[in-house]
Amino acid sequence: MAPPPGHCLLLLCALGTFALNRFARGQKNSTLIFTRENTIRSCSCSADVRDCDYSLANLMCSCKTVLPFAVEQTSYNGRLTIWFTDTSALGRLLNFTLVQDLKLSLCSTNTLPTEYLAICGLKRLRINTEAKHPFPEQSLLVHSGADGDSKGKPRLLHKGWQTCMYISFLDTALFNRDSSLRSYSIENVASIAHNFPDFSYFKTFPMPSNKSYVVTFIY
Ligand SMILES: *[C@@H]1O[C@H](CO)[C@@H](O)[C@H](O)[C@H]1NC(C)=O
Ligand SMILES: *[C@@H]1O[C@H](CO)[C@@H](O)[C@H](O)[C@H]1NC(C)=O
Ligand SMILES: *[C@@H]1O[C@H](CO)[C@@H](O)[C@H](O)[C@H]1NC(C)=O
């Protein structure tokens, strides 16, 4: 005996809802952090927001104000976007963190000093300096190594800086330039502290020296 059509519809509906839920869960929100007038807002966004449009972000994303120490987390899953206005704020948010997909937008006309940001596991970097130069967004593929597994799950992000194999140094003065983004990588670096004595901060940051790293300079 065939079930009455109403049941069919109900079943279809249920299936549809199930599929929709799966779809919504499959689409991961990205993290947006912005600093403004000494406050830090951390947002979860399901869609891209025009860079440096603070009110739009507050409207479209789910945002909360966070205390400075609360954002000193060491790893980010998924896409991370940071809107910043000065080097110190950016350093506090990003220095020595683990992130694979990063977008940085300078939202001021400030000239930034040369300082290096150390980032672990960076695969894709996007830069926007629209507030300063009328340039289109720039993009750089840093590495496509298999630090995470094939499904894009960043396994590495659960381990911490100590196990970092891909280290990027980003020169913050790159935001001042009107030239395009450049990078070079050095593979099989045996010891960071030994090979890059200028980066004195590795002396205060203990790293196992008997493994090899891929070091990328972005400038
Ligand atoms: C994803 O972002 C939307 C706003 O764009 C928000 O309402 C929702 O709570 C976020 N979901 C998660 C899991 O954070
Ligand atoms: C990142 O941390 C190192 C070591 O503490 C420091 O020398 C460097 O200036 C910091 N970079 C930024 C952009 O704050
Ligand atoms: C690296 O050195 C540490 C301490 O010197 C040692 O415990 C560890 O087994 C070494 N790892 C490798 C892969 O050789």
Side-chain angles (χ1 to χ4, degrees), residues 155-168:
R155 242 188 314 145
L156 131 117
L157 293 189
H158 303 301
K159 290 188 202 147
W161 183 266
Q162 299 294 317
T163 60
C164 189
M165 262 192 63
Y166 294 90
I167 298 173
S168 296

Side-chain angles (χ1 to χ4, degrees), residues 208-211:
S209 61
N210 55 352
K211 73 179 213 186

Side-chain angles (χ1 to χ4, degrees), residues 1 24 34 42 64 103 118 143 146 148 170 187 194 196 213 218:
M1 197 174 83
F34 59 87
S42 175
K64 56 180 193 289
K103 178 171 177 182
H143 82 89
L170 188 146
E187 298 191 3
H194 183 253
F196 305 102
Y213 305 92
I218 304 169

Side-chain angles (χ1 to χ4, degrees), residues 16-206:
T17 314
F18 177 70
L20 221 85
N21 279 341
R22 294 276 307 223
F23 178 70
R25 250 185 291 143
Q27 263 200 333
K28 276 192 77 181
N29 281 6
S30 64
T31 306
L32 165 69
I33 300 179
F34 59 87
T35 59
R36 209 185 167 205
E37 286 144 20
N38 296 323
T39 52
I40 303 171
R41 300 274 287 167
S42 175
C43 311
S44 177
C45 309
S46 58
D48 276 344
V49 181
R50 189 173 59 230
D51 285 310
C52 310
D53 194 333
Y54 302 102
S55 37
L56 195 63
N58 282 319
L59 212 78
M60 283 177 60
C61 308
S62 158
C63 301
K64 56 180 193 289
T65 300
V66 290
L67 296 168
F69 63 81
V71 290
E72 282 172 6
Q73 88 181 69
T74 54
S75 71
Y76 293 95
N77 277 306
R79 271 198 299 156
L80 171 68
T81 302
I82 296 181
W83 297 348
F84 69 101
T85 53
D86 60 87
T87 314
S88 58
L90 184 65
R92 250 179 284 121
L93 289 172
L94 203 57
N95 217 356
F96 292 106
T97 58
L98 287 75
V99 57
Q100 296 191 329
D101 191 343
L102 176 67
K103 178 171 177 182
L104 299 177
S105 297
L106 175 63
C107 299
S108 73
T109 53
N110 293 347
T111 297
L112 307 183
T114 283
E115 273 195 58
Y116 287 95
L117 274 170
I119 304 168
C120 169
L122 188 62
K123 288 188 169 177
R124 187 164 80 121
L125 174 69
R126 287 176 298 154
I127 296 282
N128 188 336
T129 53
E130 217 175 279
K132 210 170 153 65
H133 307 291
F135 282 160
E137 181 181 305
Q138 298 192 60
S139 177
L140 185 74
L141 194 65
V142 181
H143 82 89
S144 48
D147 243 14
D149 64 29
S150 53
K151 288 204 186 81
K153 231 197 216 159
R155 242 188 314 145
L156 131 117
L157 293 189
H158 303 301
K159 290 188 202 147
W161 183 266
Q162 299 294 317
T163 60
C164 189
M165 262 192 63
Y166 294 90
I167 298 173
S168 296
F169 292 111
L170 188 146
D171 176 0
T172 52
L174 72 84
F175 294 97
N176 303 330
R177 300 190 192 114
D178 50 13
S179 54
S180 55
L181 209 52
R182 282 165 297 183
S183 73
Y184 69 90
S185 296
I186 307 167
E187 298 191 3
N188 296 321
V189 175
S191 159
I192 305 262
H194 183 253
N195 282 273
F196 305 102
D198 287 349
F199 288 95
S200 53
Y201 48 89
F202 280 115
K203 295 193 181 101
T204 58
F205 217 95

